[in-house]
């Protein structure tokens, strides 16, 4: 502490000690130099004023706090003046030191009022309404209690007092105002105010409290005319103010005090009631006015305390209710969350996480079990054609069917999309076969959803657990088996077989090679003539892609095309094929003119149709090559057209470009003849499987016979595919077919070879 601060504090402390000692001794001894009792008071007031001045000069404090210290300084200066006037009143009178002029009494009140006003101007912490109500009630309680106390001890002796002090009422008023300021200081000390130091507030509140309390000593000084309550009150109050200001000066700039937790419990009301009760017991209430007044005050205090209690209780109840409601909500959320974490939102059955957890547990227990993976066949078609609402309803219905057919020990979970899994403990191979077969059949029962009749089909792959398995590995094996079931036609189930893994490996390797095939120049396009019956003259060609693998030699399109569709390479391959085809078409037209093939077919897979920008790409390639789009035919399969709305749109756009559309492999899909009406089809390619039976008396023969009637009615050209014998060609011509394609006429060949076939038609 710098000397500037230390010296005044030491001086203040010495003066305080002197005053206290002198006051106590004054009870027993009469002093000869009465002025010595008064001297320290103005000095100490000025010391306090100086300390407040130092606090006010701290520029790092906020404006409100500095203003408070400036006003505190003014109070102290005014106090120095007031005690001096008071001293003159007292020393100049014969009656004793208690004498006080009305002017001095008024000044004391002004000082206290000023202090309270300064205090209330400080920015207080936010208070709730009920905190304000409690503050008001406490003030009321204290005011009544102090009022009655002072009245009880002092006012009844007004005459004696008045003779002593010369002015009775102002002194009472001082006592009252002192009480009020004590409440204010105490409240602010507890509630905190802006950047005002809390310890400083506590000191101030203690000082005012002690000063107010010393007023109650007045009755004891009746027979001690050389003493005055001010000898105690002023030194204590001013020294506290000095320390308080010093504290503020030193702590300025420290971390701001956090808002204290408001105390809900206060002793004040109970102390007040106890005080009143004690007075009540000590007086005869029935006879004297005093007794009746005290009784009335006690009733009033009790009523205030009850009101205060009720507000607190009500607030507590409200608080408890909120807490309770919050807790209930929290519990509900927890339950919901726990359910969500383990269940599928759509079907309400277990989800992937829950399934994997159970598998892990089962694996840890070392028990054998089966894991099956189920996938709806053609679910995408349902979703795309009938909307997601229908798709969701279908998934729910299927999950219910699965759930209903399983034993209690089994688990069914939804992995996502149209994939479900089963965990089947304790089944022999035969039992599992029976159960899975039953599931396939149960799911397949016809079903009406939003007016659509459906026959859901499901493919299942199943595998048995082995030591060292993980949930991921089990699901992988079940998945491989499920794909095998799907490839075998769907609506069936299959055991996992290690051979499937090898196939899947080969698939992956071949897929990787296929990505490189273009860059390695391993691809080319062959053209198979399409001929007119019965003479077999070329009317068109179909472009067919070939892949000669560096190690495996020729790979069948039946193998690599589905692979390319699966891994997405088909987009790039299809683009390349189309570029080759339009370039070849342009070359033929340049070279052979009108003898060039009038129809050039290109196979387009479903994946390509769905690709955004596909039609624009085709249009650009046709423009660049400078060929007439009317020569080109896009061959699409029924399932591709049925796949998505996007595919159907792409087909319509191709047709608008002038490119014709052929429906490939007609009769092998699951679709109906209604497609021929919905879709702009110009050519129908009747699948080889029908053509094969054309020379026998088979159902295929009947269909082939009838198809020609329908297509000619719709002005659609029918092309019979895979014609291998002259017999077939003759029979087809008999029933009305005009176009055919097959090894009987020509195998797929290079563009030049096609040109050689065309040559005889060119004059010269
Ligand atoms: P597809 O469109 O039905 O093509 C006709 C298939 O039948 C060709 O098989 C052709 O060689 C074969 N074929 C023609 N005449 C006869 C016959 O008399 N007897 C027999 N047994 N077969 C005959 P390929 O070239 O193996 O193609 C198989 C499939 O691969 C095609 O069936 C087509 O769906 C697809 N494909 C071929 N090239 C492409 C292509 O560039 N893009 C796309 N997306 N698919 C293609
Ligand atoms: Ca084709
Ligand atoms: Ca075909």
């Amino acid at each position: 502490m710098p000397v500037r601060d230390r010296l005044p504090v030491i001086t203040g402390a010495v003066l305080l000690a002197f005053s206290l000692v002198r006051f106590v001794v004054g009870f027993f001894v009469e002093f000869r130099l009465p002025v010595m009792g008064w001297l320290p008071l103005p000095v100490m007031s000025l010391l306090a004023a100086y300390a407040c001045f130092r606090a006010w000069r701290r520029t790092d404090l906020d404006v409100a706090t500095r203003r408070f210290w400036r006003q505190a300084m003014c109070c102290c200066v005014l106090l120095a003046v007031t005690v001096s006037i008071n001293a003159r009143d007292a020393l100049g009178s014969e009656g004793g030191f208690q004498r006080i002029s009305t002017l001095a009494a008024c000044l004391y009140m002004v000082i206290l009022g000023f202090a309270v006003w300064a205090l209330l101007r400080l920015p207080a912490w936010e208070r709730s309404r009920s905190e304000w109500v409690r503050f008001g009630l406490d003030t009321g309680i204290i005011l009544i209690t102090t009022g009655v106390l002072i009245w009880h001890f002092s006012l009844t002796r007004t005459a004696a007092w008045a003779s002593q002090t010369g002015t009775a009422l102002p002194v009472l008023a001082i006592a009252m105002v002192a009480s009020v300021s004590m409440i204010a200081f105490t409240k602010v000390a507890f509630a905190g105010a802006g950047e005002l130091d809390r310890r400083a507030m506590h000191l101030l509140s203690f000082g005012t409290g002690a000063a107010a309390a010393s007023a109650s000593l007045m009755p004891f000084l009746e027979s001690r005319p050389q003493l005055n309550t001010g000898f105690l009150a002023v030194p204590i109050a001013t020294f506290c103010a000095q320390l308080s200001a010093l504290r503020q000066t030193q702590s300025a700039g420290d971390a701001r005090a956090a808002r204290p937790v408001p105390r809900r419990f206060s002793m004040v009301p109970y102390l007040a009631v106890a005080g009143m009760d004690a007075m009540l017991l000590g007086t005869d209430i029935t006879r004297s006015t005093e007794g009746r007044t005290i009784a009335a005050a006690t009733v009033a205090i009790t009523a205030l305390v009850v009101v205060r209690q009720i507000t607190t209780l009500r607030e507590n109840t409200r608080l408890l209710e909120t807490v309770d409601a919050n807790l209930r909500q929290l519990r509900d959320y927890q339950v919901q969350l726990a359910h969500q974490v383990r269940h599928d939102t759509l079907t309400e059955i277990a989800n992937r996480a829950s399934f994997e957890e159970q598998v892990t547990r089962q694996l840890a227990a070392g028990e054998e079990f089966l894991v099956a993976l189920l996938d709806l066949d053609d679910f995408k078609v349902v979703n795309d054609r009938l909307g997601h609402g229908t798709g969701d309803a279908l998934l729910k219905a299927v999950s219910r069917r699965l759930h209903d057919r399983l034993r209690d020990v089994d688990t069914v979970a939804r992995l996502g999309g149209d994939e479900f899994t089963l965990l089947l403990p304790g089944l022999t191979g035969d039992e599992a076969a029976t159960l899975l077969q039953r599931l396939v059949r149960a799911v397949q029962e016809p079903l009406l959803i939003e007016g659509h009749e459906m026959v859901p089909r499901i493919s299942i792959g199943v595998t048995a657990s082995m030591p060292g398995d993980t949930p991921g590995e089990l699901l992988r094996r079940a998945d491989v088996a499920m794909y095998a079931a799907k490839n075998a036609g769907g609506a069936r189930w299959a055991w996992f077989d290690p051979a499937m893994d090898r196939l899947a490996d080969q698939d992956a390797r071949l897929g990787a090679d296929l990505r490189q095939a273009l860059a390695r120049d391993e691809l080319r396009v062959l053209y198979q003539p399409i001929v007119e019956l019965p003479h077999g003259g070329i009317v068109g060609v179909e472009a067919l892609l070939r892949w000669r693998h560096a190690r495996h030699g020729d790979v069948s399109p039946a193998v690599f095309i589905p692979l390319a569709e699966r891994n997405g390479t088909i987009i790039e391959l299809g683009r390349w094929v189309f570029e080759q085809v339009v370039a070849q078409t342009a070359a033929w037209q340049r070279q052979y003119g009108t003898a060039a093939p009038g129809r050039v077919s290109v196979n387009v897979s479903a994946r390509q149709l769905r690709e955004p920008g596909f039609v624009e790409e085709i249009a650009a390639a046709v423009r660049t090559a400078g060929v007439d789009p009317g020569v080109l035919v896009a061959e699409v399969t029924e399932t591709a057209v049925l796949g998505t709305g996007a595919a159907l749109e792409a087909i319509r756009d191709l047709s608008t470009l002038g490119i014709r559309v052929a429906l490939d492999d007609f009769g092998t899909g699951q679709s109906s003849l209604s497609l021929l009406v919905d879709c702009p089809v110009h050519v129908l390619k009747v699948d080889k499987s029908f053509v094969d039976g054309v020379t026998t008396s088979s159902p295929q023969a009947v269909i082939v016979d009838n198809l020609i009637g329908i297509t000619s009615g719709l002005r659609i050209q029918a092309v019979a595919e895979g014609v291998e014998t002259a017999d077939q060609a003759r029979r087809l011509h008999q029933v009305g077919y005009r176009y055919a394609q097959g090894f009987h006429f020509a195998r797929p060949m290079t563009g030049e070879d096609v040109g050689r076939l065309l040559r005889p038609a060119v004059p010269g």
Side-chain angles (χ1 to χ4, degrees):
M1 203 195 292
V3 184
R4 229 170 9 164
D5 289 330
R6 206 181 324 146
L7 204 63
V9 173
I10 295 171
T11 318
V14 169
L15 288 177
L16 174 66
F18 170 80
S19 297
L20 289 179
V21 171
R22 193 174 179 284
F23 190 85
V24 175
V25 176
F27 270 88
F28 312 103
V29 185
E30 202 164 314
F31 297 111
R32 256 184 302 141
L33 268 177
V35 74
M36 288 303 284
W38 289 100
L39 261 185
L41 308 193
V43 178
M44 287 189 77
S45 302
L46 289 175
L47 285 177
Y50 172 69
C52 293
F53 168 79
R54 301 254 299 125
W56 163 39
R57 303 307 290 181
R58 288 303 299 241
T59 43
D60 46 356
L61 287 173
D62 65 320
V63 178
T65 309
R66 290 184 61 198
R67 186 184 56 205
F68 173 80
W69 288 112
R70 196 184 62 225
Q71 287 165 344
M73 179 190 74
C74 294
C75 281
C76 292
V77 172
L78 198 56
L79 184 64
V81 175
T82 310
V83 289
S84 306
I85 296 173
N86 197 358
R88 203 206 54 194
D89 297 341
L91 291 170
S93 77
E94 297 293 305
F97 279 6
Q98 278 90 333
R99 191 159 287 279
I100 179 169
S101 64
T102 313
L103 173 66
C106 287
L107 282 175
Y108 278 129
M109 276 199 286
V110 167
I111 292 166
L112 283 168
F114 191 41
V116 171
W117 178 71
L119 199 65
L120 295 179
R121 283 185 71 192
L122 281 170
W125 292 96
E126 282 271 316
R127 285 204 185 101
S128 72
R129 221 191 62 180
S130 56
E131 277 173 324
W132 274 116
V133 168
R134 268 203 300 279
F135 179 64
L137 286 170
D138 284 353
T139 314
I141 291 168
I142 293 178
L143 272 185
I144 294 180
T145 314
T146 22
V148 172
L149 275 173
I150 291 168
W151 176 78
H152 179 62
F153 286 115
S154 319
L155 207 58
T156 41
R157 274 160 274 196
T158 332
W161 259 53
S163 69
Q164 246 182 61
T165 58
T167 169
L169 279 173
V171 176
L172 273 179
I174 293 173
M176 288 294 280
V177 177
S179 310
V180 175
S181 48
M182 193 181 77
I183 303 168
F185 274 99
T186 312
K187 268 290 159 185
V188 176
F190 281 113
E195 287 189 0
L196 206 59
D197 185 81
R198 294 181 63 73
R199 202 71 67 72
M201 271 329 289
H202 291 163
L203 280 165
L204 272 182
S205 114
F206 173 79
T208 43
S214 63
S216 60
L217 286 175
M218 194 149 325
F220 302 101
L221 304 185
E222 253 173 292
S223 53
R224 306 275 183 294
Q226 78 279 19
L227 291 184
N228 185 301
T229 46
F231 292 174
L232 269 188
V234 177
I236 292 175
T238 50
F239 190 63
C240 284
Q242 190 186 0
L243 286 184
S244 166
L246 185 68
R247 162 86 205 168
Q248 177 76 69
T249 315
Q250 283 172 355
S251 75
D254 282 5
R256 310 277 173 254
R259 190 210 199 300
V261 180
R263 295 195 313 168
R264 303 211 169 274
F265 181 77
S266 163
M267 282 300 286
V268 173
Y270 307 104
L271 289 177
V273 172
M276 295 306 292
D277 286 348
M279 269 190 284
L280 199 60
L281 289 173
T283 35
D284 180 356
I285 48 164
T286 44
R287 266 187 246 138
S288 64
T289 342
E290 191 187 349
R292 274 197 294 280
T293 315
I294 291 180
T298 313
V299 170
I301 292 281
T302 315
L304 284 178
V305 173
V306 168
V307 172
R308 186 187 196 281
Q309 210 62 23
I310 289 171
T311 50
T312 313
L313 272 178
R314 274 181 44 183
E315 200 191 7
N316 281 358
T317 321
R318 234 193 345 265
L319 262 172
L320 274 179
E321 271 167 12
T322 337
V323 169
D324 224 41
N326 285 347
L327 276 179
R328 247 198 321 274
Q329 213 175 27
L330 211 69
R331 252 198 314 274
D332 288 353
Y333 280 146
Q334 268 174 340
V335 171
Q336 253 176 41
L337 222 67
H339 185 86
Q340 268 172 22
V341 162
R342 311 184 46 85
H343 290 81
D344 175 56
T345 29
L346 177 68
T347 57
E348 293 286 316
I349 59 175
N351 63 9
R352 176 181 219 119
S354 164
F355 180 80
E356 289 186 349
E357 204 180 289
Q358 288 189 49
V359 169
T360 310
R361 215 178 302 135
Q362 203 84 12
L363 283 169
E367 284 161 36
E368 279 192 11
F369 57 95
L370 303 177
V371 165
L373 192 86
L374 300 76
D375 190 288
L376 279 172
D377 298 339
D378 302 322
F379 176 70
K380 209 173 155 7
V381 177
V382 174
N383 237 0
D384 290 342
R385 293 193 81 196
L386 305 176
H388 288 269
T390 314
D392 285 354
L394 177 62
L395 288 175
K396 278 197 226 175
V398 169
S399 84
R400 217 172 304 121
R401 286 180 173 183
L402 293 173
H403 186 267
D404 291 349
R405 303 301 191 290
L406 290 172
R407 305 164 301 159
D408 283 346
V409 289
D410 302 331
T411 305
V412 55
R414 180 168 170 237
L415 286 191
D418 59 341
E419 280 191 337
F420 296 88
T421 46
L422 307 178
L423 191 162
L424 310 166
L427 284 182
T428 65
D430 287 347
E431 286 166 349
T434 317
L435 176 71
L436 295 176
Q437 192 51 46
R438 210 172 49 226
L439 288 182
V440 170
R441 236 177 290 130
V443 168
Q444 230 167 354
E445 278 161 29
L447 173 88
L448 201 69
I449 292 178
E450 291 171 6
H452 305 283
E453 199 190 74
M454 291 187 205
V455 183
R457 289 149 47 94
I458 201 157
S459 300
I460 307 179
V462 62
T463 184
S465 68
M466 291 188 292
D469 265 343
T470 60
E473 167 60 17
L474 276 163
L475 280 177
R476 189 196 68 78
R477 291 206 302 266
D479 190 50
V480 169
M482 192 272 290
Y483 264 99
K486 239 187 226 298
N487 283 338
R492 69 192 67 206
W493 67 276
W495 279 109
F496 170 77
D497 180 338
M500 291 175 180
D501 257 354
R502 283 195 290 280
L503 281 177
D505 274 4
Q506 275 172 18
D507 208 59
R509 269 198 298 274
L510 206 62
D513 289 346
L514 186 56
R515 283 180 204 283
Q516 310 287 325
L518 255 184
R520 291 182 184 156
D521 202 20
E522 293 174 353
L523 299 171
R524 65 207 163 105
V525 178
L526 296 188
Y527 300 87
Q528 184 178 31
I530 298 171
V531 301
E532 193 165 358
L533 294 176
H535 50 79
I538 294 187
V539 288
V541 291
E542 176 180 359
L544 295 163
L545 184 57
R546 292 291 175 265
W547 179 22
R548 177 158 290 165
H549 189 281
R551 266 175 297 124
H552 305 312
D554 286 333
V555 183
S556 164
V559 171
F560 76 80
I561 293 291
L563 180 63
E565 281 169 352
R566 280 199 297 278
N567 72 10
T569 359
I570 192 71
I571 303 293
E572 209 186 326
L573 295 188
R575 194 180 292 140
W576 182 78
V577 169
F578 199 80
E579 280 162 11
Q580 301 296 305
V581 168
V582 286
Q584 180 65 71
T585 308
W588 281 327
Q589 283 176 353
R590 267 198 313 276
Q591 238 180 315
Y592 307 106
T594 49
R599 295 260 183 283
V600 181
S601 290
V602 190
N603 291 291
V604 175
S605 71
R607 189 70 186 261
Q608 287 171 278
L609 289 174
R610 284 205 304 273
E611 186 74 5
F614 168 72
V615 179
E616 287 76 17
E617 226 172 64
I618 295 281
V622 171
R623 254 198 321 274
T624 312
V627 298
D628 169 17
V631 174
L632 299 169
V633 182
E635 292 197 6
V636 297
T637 58
E638 293 163 90
T639 26
V641 182
L642 286 174
T644 61
L648 198 60
E649 211 160 287
I651 287 167
R652 291 206 178 110
D653 290 349
L654 283 178
S655 181
T656 316
L657 272 184
I659 295 177
R660 288 161 183 265
V661 175
L663 211 50
D664 208 352
D665 305 344
F666 189 80
T668 56
Q670 308 135 285
S671 71
S672 56
L673 285 165
S674 71
L675 243 183
L676 299 180
V677 184
D678 287 348
C679 182
V681 173
H682 308 96
V683 180
L684 194 85
K685 300 195 75 171
V686 180
D687 192 68
K688 181 174 183 300
S689 54
F690 291 95
V691 174
D692 283 347
V694 84
T695 48
T696 60
S697 55
S698 59
Q700 281 91 338
V702 178
I703 293 175
V704 169
D705 280 3
N706 284 299
L707 262 181
I708 197 70
I710 295 165
T711 51
S712 51
L714 291 169
R715 295 179 185 284
I716 292 171
Q717 293 179 355
V719 177
E721 279 192 304
V723 181
E724 290 181 338
T725 64
D727 255 9
Q728 287 170 342
R730 204 174 312 118
R731 174 86 186 118
L732 285 165
H733 182 241
Q734 260 174 22
V735 294
Y737 283 83
R738 282 191 60 207
Y739 304 104
Q741 176 183 356
F743 294 170
H744 172 64
F745 305 105
R747 294 207 165 234
M749 57 186 81
T750 61
E752 291 94 73
D753 287 346
V754 172
R756 244 164 258 132
L757 287 179
L758 298 172
R759 190 155 294 166
V762 178

